């Protein structure tokens, strides 16, 4: 019984939010043109779900997200392992990484527009740039976390360099890799939708901009709800897969 | 000697990269990638003091206003929610949803309510930044050591003192983590909201350069934005290190134990 209490309360919270959004415009507290009642937003959502254009846009966003994340994760892991395992390289690149990482990726928007126009390329460029640093920094932490005794032991048993990476470095760094990819996954979604919204490359963000320009306010809110749900799904999926693939690891086992 | 080596390591690669960029681009005929020399000249010509006052300063003021407001709102609400278990269970799904909404999509919504003036940009920044601060504060408050809480109660520390002396300090490392996340979101939203609709500001100016094909000036704007992001995160790190010195010490002590 007590186990279900939080779930009930959470459902009540969501219901309360819907009620506020329903009543505030109906009672005239908020202008209906600015915030349509929840029922009309949900109706717009249903209408969107019936239109092929919506699913095409959702597909475009997901493709940009997945491709960008895959490229960023691959490049981040590779660069992180190489930089992390060579101390000289690590010392040499530290300042450059620290400098490039906080550069807001939206600064690259004008450049992306010039280079790729309003196609998938400009979305991908922003997504990759933003997601790459999240992965790289976590992998660097992970490699630094390797137990020196384990590493020296592997060396004295004459593990080849590849075997050292595979059996000592990788298992230690894996939880960090997952953290990095989880952070990168939500950053990648934000950047994908931002790029579509600002640049006008195809996807949900562009649909939001179109709905705004044509003053289809309920549709705009419906699309925003979809982006939020997408974010929640990505967060939950990332946490779930982290638990599943790291079931052997102390950080997950210790929680039970 | 070792100090010199540290300096060498820190500036070595950036110098090499900049040098390479300079040399490789010096004969560049490409319209989109002008020589670095041209970009640097454009940088000096574009970002003069009047231009900084007209475009960079308004951006920074909006950023500061939105960020500080978000910090105050986030920490206040976060402490309130973190202290009450029932309240937390009720609002948690709603908060998780709001956090998952990509902040830039708020720009069109808030434009409906607040027009395209300064208020819109500040509200956008507040709305985007408040969630990481709020959720991290909730987590931090929830994780306050119960022995500390009970000791404080036994000594009669109640009311406001309980919050300012026990709960806030103990949640501050987590709050700082939220503030750090929020800072990069704030910079992104500052630029995005100005790219959307503005008559001044850094984002507006850079897009203007791009649309009028003033490529070296556009590059100089990108570089300035990069320097700004770097400078602000450096400033944050210094402030954090100062404010959380006790925490660093505690962690170091725990590690060596």
């Amino acid at each position: 019984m007590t186990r279900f209490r939080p779930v009930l309360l959470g459902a009540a919270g969501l219901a309360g939010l819907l009620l506020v959004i329903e009543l505030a415009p109906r009672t005239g507290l908020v202008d209906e043109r600015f915030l349509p009642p929840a029922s009309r937003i949900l109706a717009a959502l249903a209408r969107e779900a019936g239109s092929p254009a919506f699913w095409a846009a959702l597909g475009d966003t997901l493709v940009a997200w997945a491709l960008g994340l895959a490229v960023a994760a691959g490049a981040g892991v590779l660069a992180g392992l190489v930089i992390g395992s060579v101390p000289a390289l690590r010392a040499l690149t530290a300042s450059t990484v620290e400098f490039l990482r906080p550069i807001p990726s939206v600064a690259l928007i004008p450049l992306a527009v010039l280079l790729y126009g309003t196609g998938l390329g400009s979305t991908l460029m922003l997504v990759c740039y933003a997601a790459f640093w999240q992965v790289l920094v976590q992998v660097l932490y992970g490699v630094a976390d390797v137990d020196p005794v384990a590493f020296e032991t592997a060396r004295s048993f004459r593990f080849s360099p590849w075997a050292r990476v595979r059996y000592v470095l990788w298992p230690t760094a894996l939880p960090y890799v997952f953290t990095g990819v989880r952070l990168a996954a939500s950053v990648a979604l934000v950047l994908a939708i931002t790029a579509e919204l600002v640049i006008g490359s195809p996807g949900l963000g562009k649909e939001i901009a179109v709905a705004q320009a044509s003053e289809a306010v309920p549709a705009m809110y419906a699309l925003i709800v979809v982006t939020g749900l997408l974010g929640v799904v990505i967060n939950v999926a990332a946490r779930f897969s982290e638990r599943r693939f790291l079931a052997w690891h102390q950080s997950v086992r210790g929680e039970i | 000697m070792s100090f010199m080596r540290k300096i060498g390591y820190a500036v070595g690669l950036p110098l090499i990269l900049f040098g390479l960029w300079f040399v490789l681009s010096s004969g560049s005929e490409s319209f989109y990638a002008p020589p670095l020399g041209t970009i640097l000249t454009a940088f000096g010509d574009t970002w003069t003091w009047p231009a900084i006052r007209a475009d960079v300063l308004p951006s920074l003021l909006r950023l500061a206003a939105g960020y500080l407001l978000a910090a105050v709102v986030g920490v206040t609400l976060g402490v309130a929610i973190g202290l009450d278990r029932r309240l937390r269970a009720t609002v948690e799904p709603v908060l998780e949803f709001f956090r998952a909404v990509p902040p830039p999509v708020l720009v069109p919504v808030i434009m409906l309510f607040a027009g395209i003036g300064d208020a819109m940009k500040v509200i956008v920044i507040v709305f985007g930044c408040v969630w990481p601060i709020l959720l991290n504060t909730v987590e931090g408050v929830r994780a306050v050591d119960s022995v500390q809480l009970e000791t404080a109660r036994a000594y009669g520390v109640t009311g406001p003192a309980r919050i300012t002396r026990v709960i806030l300090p103990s949640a501050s490392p987590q709050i700082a983590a939220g503030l750090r996340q929020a800072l990069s979101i704030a910079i992104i939203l500052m630029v995005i909201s100005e790219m959307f609709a503005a008559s001044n500001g850094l984002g507006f100016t850079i897009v203007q350069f791009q649309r009028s094909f003033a490529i070296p000036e556009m590059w100089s704007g990108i570089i300035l934005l990069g320097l700004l992001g770097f400078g602000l995160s450096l400033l944050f790190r210094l402030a954090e290190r100062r404010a959380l010195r006790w925490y660093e010490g505690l962690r170091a002590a725990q590690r060596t134990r």
Side-chain angles (χ1 to χ4, degrees), chain A residues 5 9-10 13 30 34 92 95-96 98-99 102 104 106-107 110-111 113-114 193-194 197 212 221 224 227-228 231-232, chain B residues 9-10 13-14 86 89-90 93 100-102 104-105 109 111-113 187 192 206 210 215 218-219 222 225 230 233 237:
Chain A
R5 278 275 303 277
L9 284 173
V30 184
F34 298 162
L92 210 56
S95 63
T96 311
E98 279 310 303
F99 180 73
V106 286
L111 192 62
V113 174
L114 286 183
I193 289 179
T194 305
L197 187 71
Q212 183 225 358
Y221 276 98
I224 289 174
T227 62
V232 171
Chain B
Y9 272 132
L13 189 63
R86 301 247 313 260
T90 310
V101 173
V105 304
V109 175
M111 260 167 71
L112 282 176
F113 286 95
I187 299 174
I192 297 276
I206 294 177
Q210 175 230 322
I215 306 299
M218 179 197 89
W219 273 99
I222 293 178
L225 213 47
F230 176 70
S233 84
R237 272 232 304 265

Short mmCIF file of all heavy atoms in Angstrom, two decimals, chain A residues 5 9-10 13 30 34 92 95-96 98-99 102 104 106-107 110-111 113-114 193-194 197 212 221 224 227-228 231-232, chain B residues 9-10 13-14 86 89-90 93 100-102 104-105 109 111-113 187 192 206 210 215 218-219 222 225 230 233 237:
data_model
loop_
_atom_site.label_atom_id
_atom_site.label_comp_id
_atom_site.label_asym_id
_atom_site.label_seq_id
_atom_site.Cartn_x
_atom_site.Cartn_y
_atom_site.Cartn_z
N ARG A 5 1.82 4.79 -2.73
CA ARG A 5 1.51 6.17 -2.38
C ARG A 5 2.22 7.21 -3.26
O ARG A 5 1.54 8.08 -3.81
CB ARG A 5 1.86 6.44 -0.90
CG ARG A 5 0.79 5.98 0.08
CD ARG A 5 -0.31 7.01 0.28
NE ARG A 5 0.15 8.30 0.74
CZ ARG A 5 0.41 8.61 2.01
NH1 ARG A 5 0.31 7.70 2.95
NH2 ARG A 5 0.79 9.82 2.34
N LEU A 9 0.43 10.00 -5.59
CA LEU A 9 0.65 11.43 -5.41
C LEU A 9 1.18 12.06 -6.70
O LEU A 9 0.76 13.15 -7.09
CB LEU A 9 1.65 11.67 -4.27
CG LEU A 9 1.08 11.50 -2.85
CD1 LEU A 9 2.20 11.60 -1.83
CD2 LEU A 9 0.02 12.54 -2.58
N GLY A 10 2.11 11.34 -7.38
CA GLY A 10 2.65 11.85 -8.62
C GLY A 10 1.57 12.02 -9.67
O GLY A 10 1.52 13.03 -10.38
N GLY A 13 -0.34 14.99 -8.93
CA GLY A 13 0.39 16.19 -9.33
C GLY A 13 0.19 16.49 -10.81
O GLY A 13 -0.08 17.63 -11.19
N VAL A 30 -5.75 33.65 -17.70
CA VAL A 30 -4.73 33.80 -18.73
C VAL A 30 -5.46 33.94 -20.06
O VAL A 30 -6.52 33.33 -20.24
CB VAL A 30 -3.81 32.56 -18.78
CG1 VAL A 30 -2.69 32.77 -19.77
CG2 VAL A 30 -3.26 32.26 -17.41
N PHE A 34 -3.09 32.91 -25.68
CA PHE A 34 -1.70 32.62 -25.30
C PHE A 34 -1.55 31.21 -24.75
O PHE A 34 -0.57 30.53 -25.01
CB PHE A 34 -1.20 33.62 -24.26
CG PHE A 34 -1.18 35.03 -24.77
CD1 PHE A 34 -1.13 36.08 -23.88
CD2 PHE A 34 -1.19 35.29 -26.13
CE1 PHE A 34 -1.10 37.38 -24.34
CE2 PHE A 34 -1.16 36.58 -26.61
CZ PHE A 34 -1.12 37.64 -25.70
N LEU A 92 48.96 17.65 -22.47
CA LEU A 92 49.04 18.59 -23.59
C LEU A 92 47.66 19.10 -24.00
O LEU A 92 47.50 20.26 -24.39
CB LEU A 92 49.70 17.87 -24.77
CG LEU A 92 50.51 18.71 -25.74
CD1 LEU A 92 51.59 19.47 -24.99
CD2 LEU A 92 51.15 17.82 -26.79
N SER A 95 44.32 21.88 -21.52
CA SER A 95 43.88 23.27 -21.62
C SER A 95 42.99 23.47 -22.84
O SER A 95 42.01 24.21 -22.79
CB SER A 95 45.10 24.19 -21.72
OG SER A 95 45.82 23.91 -22.89
N THR A 96 43.29 22.75 -23.94
CA THR A 96 42.47 22.89 -25.14
C THR A 96 41.06 22.38 -24.90
O THR A 96 40.08 23.02 -25.28
CB THR A 96 43.11 22.12 -26.31
OG1 THR A 96 44.49 22.47 -26.37
CG2 THR A 96 42.46 22.47 -27.61
N GLU A 98 39.56 22.16 -22.01
CA GLU A 98 38.90 23.08 -21.09
C GLU A 98 38.44 24.35 -21.79
O GLU A 98 37.50 25.00 -21.38
CB GLU A 98 39.84 23.45 -19.93
CG GLU A 98 39.91 22.42 -18.85
CD GLU A 98 38.53 22.00 -18.38
OE1 GLU A 98 37.76 22.88 -17.95
OE2 GLU A 98 38.21 20.82 -18.48
N PHE A 99 39.17 24.70 -22.86
CA PHE A 99 38.78 25.90 -23.58
C PHE A 99 37.61 25.64 -24.54
O PHE A 99 36.67 26.42 -24.63
CB PHE A 99 39.97 26.46 -24.37
CG PHE A 99 39.62 27.70 -25.14
CD1 PHE A 99 39.43 28.90 -24.47
CD2 PHE A 99 39.43 27.66 -26.50
CE1 PHE A 99 39.07 30.03 -25.16
CE2 PHE A 99 39.07 28.80 -27.20
CZ PHE A 99 38.89 29.99 -26.52
N PRO A 102 33.45 24.69 -22.95
CA PRO A 102 32.36 25.61 -22.57
C PRO A 102 31.88 26.50 -23.70
O PRO A 102 30.96 27.29 -23.48
CB PRO A 102 32.97 26.44 -21.44
CG PRO A 102 34.42 26.33 -21.59
CD PRO A 102 34.72 25.10 -22.36
N PRO A 104 29.60 27.75 -26.17
CA PRO A 104 28.21 27.36 -26.41
C PRO A 104 28.04 26.90 -27.84
O PRO A 104 28.46 27.60 -28.77
CB PRO A 104 27.42 28.64 -26.12
CG PRO A 104 28.41 29.74 -26.06
CD PRO A 104 29.76 29.15 -25.83
N VAL A 106 25.58 26.80 -29.66
CA VAL A 106 24.74 27.63 -30.52
C VAL A 106 25.56 28.70 -31.22
O VAL A 106 25.10 29.28 -32.21
CB VAL A 106 23.62 28.30 -29.72
CG1 VAL A 106 22.56 27.31 -29.37
CG2 VAL A 106 24.13 29.01 -28.51
N ALA A 107 26.79 28.95 -30.73
CA ALA A 107 27.65 29.91 -31.43
C ALA A 107 27.94 29.43 -32.84
O ALA A 107 28.25 30.23 -33.72
CB ALA A 107 28.95 30.11 -30.66
N PRO A 110 25.44 30.02 -37.01
CA PRO A 110 25.63 30.72 -38.29
C PRO A 110 26.57 29.96 -39.22
O PRO A 110 26.31 29.86 -40.42
CB PRO A 110 26.26 32.06 -37.88
CG PRO A 110 26.03 32.20 -36.44
CD PRO A 110 25.85 30.85 -35.87
N LEU A 111 27.61 29.38 -38.64
CA LEU A 111 28.57 28.62 -39.44
C LEU A 111 27.89 27.41 -40.06
O LEU A 111 28.06 27.12 -41.25
CB LEU A 111 29.71 28.19 -38.52
CG LEU A 111 30.94 27.65 -39.23
CD1 LEU A 111 31.53 28.73 -40.09
CD2 LEU A 111 31.95 27.15 -38.22
N VAL A 113 24.79 27.05 -40.78
CA VAL A 113 23.89 27.48 -41.85
C VAL A 113 24.68 27.72 -43.13
O VAL A 113 24.28 27.30 -44.22
CB VAL A 113 23.14 28.75 -41.44
CG1 VAL A 113 22.32 29.28 -42.60
CG2 VAL A 113 22.24 28.48 -40.26
N LEU A 114 25.82 28.39 -43.01
CA LEU A 114 26.60 28.68 -44.20
C LEU A 114 27.13 27.41 -44.84
O LEU A 114 27.15 27.26 -46.05
CB LEU A 114 27.78 29.59 -43.84
CG LEU A 114 27.44 31.04 -43.56
CD1 LEU A 114 28.71 31.81 -43.29
CD2 LEU A 114 26.71 31.65 -44.74
N ILE A 193 16.65 19.75 -31.49
CA ILE A 193 15.42 20.54 -31.60
C ILE A 193 15.73 22.03 -31.72
O ILE A 193 15.07 22.75 -32.48
CB ILE A 193 14.50 20.20 -30.42
CG1 ILE A 193 13.96 18.79 -30.65
CG2 ILE A 193 13.37 21.20 -30.30
CD1 ILE A 193 13.07 18.27 -29.62
N THR A 194 16.77 22.48 -31.02
CA THR A 194 17.17 23.88 -31.16
C THR A 194 17.56 24.21 -32.59
O THR A 194 17.12 25.22 -33.15
CB THR A 194 18.38 24.18 -30.25
OG1 THR A 194 18.06 23.81 -28.94
CG2 THR A 194 18.75 25.64 -30.30
N LEU A 197 14.61 24.41 -34.75
CA LEU A 197 13.81 25.59 -34.43
C LEU A 197 14.42 26.85 -35.01
O LEU A 197 13.73 27.69 -35.60
CB LEU A 197 13.70 25.70 -32.91
CG LEU A 197 12.79 26.76 -32.31
CD1 LEU A 197 11.37 26.37 -32.54
CD2 LEU A 197 13.05 26.88 -30.82
N GLN A 212 4.09 28.30 -34.72
CA GLN A 212 4.13 29.62 -34.10
C GLN A 212 3.87 30.70 -35.14
O GLN A 212 3.08 31.61 -34.91
CB GLN A 212 5.50 29.83 -33.44
CG GLN A 212 5.59 31.16 -32.71
CD GLN A 212 6.89 31.88 -33.01
OE1 GLN A 212 7.74 31.39 -33.73
NE2 GLN A 212 7.01 33.06 -32.44
N TYR A 221 1.69 24.12 -28.65
CA TYR A 221 1.81 23.51 -27.32
C TYR A 221 1.86 22.00 -27.42
O TYR A 221 2.63 21.34 -26.70
CB TYR A 221 0.63 23.94 -26.44
CG TYR A 221 0.85 25.27 -25.77
CD1 TYR A 221 0.31 26.43 -26.29
CD2 TYR A 221 1.61 25.36 -24.62
CE1 TYR A 221 0.51 27.66 -25.68
CE2 TYR A 221 1.82 26.57 -23.99
CZ TYR A 221 1.27 27.72 -24.52
OH TYR A 221 1.48 28.92 -23.92
N ILE A 224 5.27 20.96 -28.29
CA ILE A 224 6.20 21.13 -27.17
C ILE A 224 6.04 20.00 -26.17
O ILE A 224 7.02 19.46 -25.65
CB ILE A 224 5.96 22.51 -26.52
CG1 ILE A 224 6.47 23.60 -27.47
CG2 ILE A 224 6.67 22.60 -25.18
CD1 ILE A 224 6.17 24.99 -27.02
N THR A 227 7.96 17.11 -27.45
CA THR A 227 9.41 17.18 -27.21
C THR A 227 9.73 16.85 -25.75
O THR A 227 10.72 16.19 -25.48
CB THR A 227 9.98 18.57 -27.55
OG1 THR A 227 9.38 19.54 -26.69
CG2 THR A 227 9.75 18.93 -28.98
N GLY A 228 8.86 17.31 -24.83
CA GLY A 228 9.09 17.01 -23.42
C GLY A 228 8.99 15.51 -23.16
O GLY A 228 9.82 14.93 -22.47
N GLY A 231 11.96 13.77 -24.33
CA GLY A 231 13.06 13.93 -23.38
C GLY A 231 12.92 12.97 -22.21
O GLY A 231 13.89 12.32 -21.81
N VAL A 232 11.70 12.83 -21.69
CA VAL A 232 11.48 11.92 -20.56
C VAL A 232 11.80 10.49 -20.98
O VAL A 232 12.51 9.75 -20.28
CB VAL A 232 10.02 12.03 -20.06
CG1 VAL A 232 9.74 10.94 -19.04
CG2 VAL A 232 9.77 13.39 -19.45
N TYR B 9 52.90 22.97 -21.22
CA TYR B 9 51.82 22.04 -21.55
C TYR B 9 50.50 22.78 -21.78
O TYR B 9 49.73 22.45 -22.66
CB TYR B 9 51.64 21.03 -20.41
CG TYR B 9 52.51 19.82 -20.53
CD1 TYR B 9 53.25 19.36 -19.46
CD2 TYR B 9 52.57 19.12 -21.74
CE1 TYR B 9 54.05 18.23 -19.58
CE2 TYR B 9 53.36 18.00 -21.87
CZ TYR B 9 54.10 17.55 -20.78
OH TYR B 9 54.87 16.44 -20.90
N ALA B 10 50.25 23.80 -20.95
CA ALA B 10 48.95 24.47 -21.02
C ALA B 10 48.81 25.29 -22.30
O ALA B 10 47.75 25.29 -22.91
CB ALA B 10 48.75 25.36 -19.80
N LEU B 13 49.67 23.30 -27.01
CA LEU B 13 48.76 22.86 -28.07
C LEU B 13 47.92 24.00 -28.62
O LEU B 13 47.79 24.13 -29.84
CB LEU B 13 47.90 21.73 -27.54
CG LEU B 13 47.05 21.04 -28.61
CD1 LEU B 13 47.94 20.38 -29.64
CD2 LEU B 13 46.12 20.03 -27.99
N PRO B 14 47.36 24.85 -27.75
CA PRO B 14 46.58 25.97 -28.31
C PRO B 14 47.42 26.82 -29.26
O PRO B 14 46.93 27.22 -30.33
CB PRO B 14 46.17 26.78 -27.07
CG PRO B 14 46.14 25.79 -25.98
CD PRO B 14 47.21 24.80 -26.29
N ARG B 86 5.73 14.49 1.05
CA ARG B 86 4.49 14.36 0.28
C ARG B 86 4.49 15.32 -0.91
O ARG B 86 4.14 14.95 -2.03
CB ARG B 86 3.27 14.66 1.16
CG ARG B 86 3.15 13.77 2.35
CD ARG B 86 1.94 12.84 2.28
NE ARG B 86 0.70 13.46 1.91
CZ ARG B 86 -0.24 13.80 2.77
NH1 ARG B 86 -0.03 13.65 4.06
NH2 ARG B 86 -1.37 14.29 2.36
N ALA B 89 6.75 14.00 -3.67
CA ALA B 89 6.16 12.92 -4.47
C ALA B 89 5.11 13.46 -5.42
O ALA B 89 4.94 12.96 -6.53
CB ALA B 89 5.55 11.87 -3.55
N THR B 90 4.42 14.52 -5.00
CA THR B 90 3.34 15.06 -5.84
C THR B 90 3.90 15.79 -7.06
O THR B 90 3.40 15.62 -8.17
CB THR B 90 2.48 16.04 -5.02
OG1 THR B 90 2.12 15.41 -3.80
CG2 THR B 90 1.23 16.42 -5.78
N PRO B 93 6.90 14.17 -10.86
CA PRO B 93 6.71 13.89 -12.29
C PRO B 93 6.57 15.16 -13.12
O PRO B 93 7.11 15.25 -14.23
CB PRO B 93 5.40 13.08 -12.32
CG PRO B 93 5.20 12.59 -10.95
CD PRO B 93 5.85 13.57 -10.04
N ALA B 100 12.69 17.93 -18.90
CA ALA B 100 12.98 17.22 -20.13
C ALA B 100 12.62 18.05 -21.37
O ALA B 100 13.09 17.75 -22.46
CB ALA B 100 12.24 15.89 -20.16
N VAL B 101 11.79 19.06 -21.21
CA VAL B 101 11.46 19.91 -22.37
C VAL B 101 12.71 20.68 -22.78
O VAL B 101 13.32 21.34 -21.94
CB VAL B 101 10.34 20.90 -22.01
CG1 VAL B 101 10.13 21.88 -23.15
CG2 VAL B 101 9.05 20.18 -21.71
N PRO B 102 13.12 20.56 -24.05
CA PRO B 102 14.30 21.31 -24.47
C PRO B 102 14.05 22.82 -24.27
O PRO B 102 13.10 23.35 -24.84
CB PRO B 102 14.44 20.97 -25.95
CG PRO B 102 13.68 19.70 -26.13
CD PRO B 102 12.59 19.72 -25.12
N PRO B 104 15.03 25.69 -25.44
CA PRO B 104 14.79 26.67 -26.51
C PRO B 104 13.36 26.69 -27.04
O PRO B 104 12.94 27.71 -27.57
CB PRO B 104 15.77 26.24 -27.60
CG PRO B 104 16.86 25.58 -26.86
CD PRO B 104 16.20 24.85 -25.74
N VAL B 105 12.58 25.58 -26.90
CA VAL B 105 11.21 25.63 -27.42
C VAL B 105 10.35 26.56 -26.58
O VAL B 105 9.23 26.89 -26.96
CB VAL B 105 10.54 24.24 -27.49
CG1 VAL B 105 11.36 23.29 -28.31
CG2 VAL B 105 10.28 23.68 -26.12
N VAL B 109 6.85 30.21 -26.97
CA VAL B 109 5.76 30.31 -25.99
C VAL B 109 5.84 31.61 -25.23
O VAL B 109 4.86 32.36 -25.10
CB VAL B 109 5.82 29.13 -24.99
CG1 VAL B 109 4.77 29.32 -23.91
CG2 VAL B 109 5.62 27.83 -25.70
N MET B 111 7.36 34.25 -26.03
CA MET B 111 7.15 35.40 -26.91
C MET B 111 5.67 35.78 -26.97
O MET B 111 5.33 36.95 -27.10
CB MET B 111 7.64 35.09 -28.32
CG MET B 111 9.01 35.67 -28.61
SD MET B 111 9.70 34.97 -30.10
CE MET B 111 8.67 35.72 -31.34
N LEU B 112 4.79 34.75 -26.89
CA LEU B 112 3.35 35.03 -26.90
C LEU B 112 2.97 35.91 -25.72
O LEU B 112 2.21 36.87 -25.84
CB LEU B 112 2.56 33.73 -26.79
CG LEU B 112 2.41 32.86 -28.03
CD1 LEU B 112 1.68 31.60 -27.66
CD2 LEU B 112 1.65 33.61 -29.09
N PHE B 113 3.50 35.58 -24.54
CA PHE B 113 3.11 36.27 -23.32
C PHE B 113 3.80 37.61 -23.16
O PHE B 113 3.18 38.59 -22.76
CB PHE B 113 3.43 35.41 -22.09
CG PHE B 113 2.50 34.26 -21.91
CD1 PHE B 113 2.84 33.02 -22.40
CD2 PHE B 113 1.30 34.43 -21.26
CE1 PHE B 113 1.97 31.95 -22.24
CE2 PHE B 113 0.44 33.37 -21.10
CZ PHE B 113 0.77 32.13 -21.59
N ILE B 187 23.57 30.59 -21.11
CA ILE B 187 24.27 31.19 -22.24
C ILE B 187 23.58 30.80 -23.55
O ILE B 187 23.35 31.64 -24.42
CB ILE B 187 25.75 30.75 -22.26
CG1 ILE B 187 26.44 31.20 -20.97
CG2 ILE B 187 26.46 31.33 -23.46
CD1 ILE B 187 27.84 30.70 -20.83
N ILE B 192 20.01 32.14 -28.18
CA ILE B 192 18.85 31.72 -28.96
C ILE B 192 17.76 32.79 -28.94
O ILE B 192 17.18 33.13 -29.98
CB ILE B 192 18.27 30.41 -28.38
CG1 ILE B 192 19.27 29.30 -28.48
CG2 ILE B 192 16.97 30.06 -29.07
CD1 ILE B 192 19.26 28.61 -29.78
N ILE B 206 25.42 38.42 -34.46
CA ILE B 206 26.10 37.37 -35.21
C ILE B 206 25.23 36.89 -36.37
O ILE B 206 25.71 36.70 -37.49
CB ILE B 206 26.46 36.20 -34.27
CG1 ILE B 206 27.49 36.66 -33.25
CG2 ILE B 206 27.01 35.03 -35.05
CD1 ILE B 206 27.85 35.62 -32.23
N GLN B 210 25.86 36.99 -40.45
CA GLN B 210 25.75 35.82 -41.32
C GLN B 210 24.81 36.13 -42.48
O GLN B 210 25.08 35.78 -43.62
CB GLN B 210 25.24 34.63 -40.51
CG GLN B 210 24.97 33.41 -41.34
CD GLN B 210 23.60 32.84 -41.07
OE1 GLN B 210 23.14 32.83 -39.95
NE2 GLN B 210 22.95 32.39 -42.11
N ILE B 215 31.42 37.56 -43.52
CA ILE B 215 31.94 36.32 -42.96
C ILE B 215 33.02 36.54 -41.90
O ILE B 215 32.95 35.95 -40.82
CB ILE B 215 32.44 35.38 -44.07
CG1 ILE B 215 31.33 35.15 -45.09
CG2 ILE B 215 32.89 34.05 -43.49
CD1 ILE B 215 30.09 34.51 -44.53
N MET B 218 31.38 37.57 -38.80
CA MET B 218 30.65 36.46 -38.19
C MET B 218 31.60 35.56 -37.40
O MET B 218 31.32 35.21 -36.25
CB MET B 218 29.94 35.65 -39.28
CG MET B 218 29.18 34.47 -38.74
SD MET B 218 28.80 33.29 -40.05
CE MET B 218 30.25 32.26 -40.01
N TRP B 219 32.73 35.23 -38.01
CA TRP B 219 33.72 34.42 -37.30
C TRP B 219 34.17 35.11 -36.02
O TRP B 219 34.32 34.47 -34.97
CB TRP B 219 34.94 34.17 -38.20
CG TRP B 219 34.81 32.97 -39.08
CD1 TRP B 219 34.46 32.96 -40.38
CD2 TRP B 219 35.03 31.61 -38.71
NE1 TRP B 219 34.45 31.67 -40.86
CE2 TRP B 219 34.81 30.82 -39.85
CE3 TRP B 219 35.42 30.98 -37.53
CZ2 TRP B 219 34.94 29.45 -39.86
CZ3 TRP B 219 35.55 29.61 -37.52
CH2 TRP B 219 35.31 28.85 -38.67
N ILE B 222 31.67 34.56 -33.41
CA ILE B 222 31.72 33.19 -32.87
C ILE B 222 32.85 33.09 -31.86
O ILE B 222 32.71 32.52 -30.77
CB ILE B 222 31.89 32.16 -34.00
CG1 ILE B 222 30.64 32.14 -34.88
CG2 ILE B 222 32.18 30.79 -33.45
CD1 ILE B 222 30.73 31.21 -36.05
N LEU B 225 31.92 34.82 -28.66
CA LEU B 225 30.98 34.00 -27.89
C LEU B 225 31.71 32.86 -27.19
O LEU B 225 31.42 32.53 -26.02
CB LEU B 225 29.93 33.44 -28.85
CG LEU B 225 28.52 33.24 -28.34
CD1 LEU B 225 28.04 34.45 -27.59
CD2 LEU B 225 27.61 32.94 -29.51
N PHE B 230 33.87 30.53 -22.20
CA PHE B 230 35.04 30.09 -21.45
C PHE B 230 35.24 30.95 -20.21
O PHE B 230 35.42 30.44 -19.10
CB PHE B 230 36.26 30.16 -22.36
CG PHE B 230 37.54 29.82 -21.66
CD1 PHE B 230 37.80 28.53 -21.27
CD2 PHE B 230 38.49 30.80 -21.42
CE1 PHE B 230 38.97 28.21 -20.63
CE2 PHE B 230 39.68 30.49 -20.79
CZ PHE B 230 39.91 29.20 -20.39
N SER B 233 32.61 30.29 -17.48
CA SER B 233 32.76 29.03 -16.76
C SER B 233 33.99 29.08 -15.86
O SER B 233 33.99 28.49 -14.77
CB SER B 233 32.81 27.85 -17.72
OG SER B 233 34.11 27.67 -18.21
N ARG B 237 33.94 28.54 -11.85
CA ARG B 237 34.79 27.58 -11.15
C ARG B 237 35.52 28.23 -9.99
O ARG B 237 35.65 27.65 -8.90
CB ARG B 237 35.79 26.99 -12.13
CG ARG B 237 35.29 25.77 -12.84
CD ARG B 237 36.28 24.64 -12.70
NE ARG B 237 37.58 25.07 -13.18
CZ ARG B 237 38.01 24.86 -14.41
NH1 ARG B 237 37.26 24.21 -15.25
NH2 ARG B 237 39.19 25.28 -14.79
#
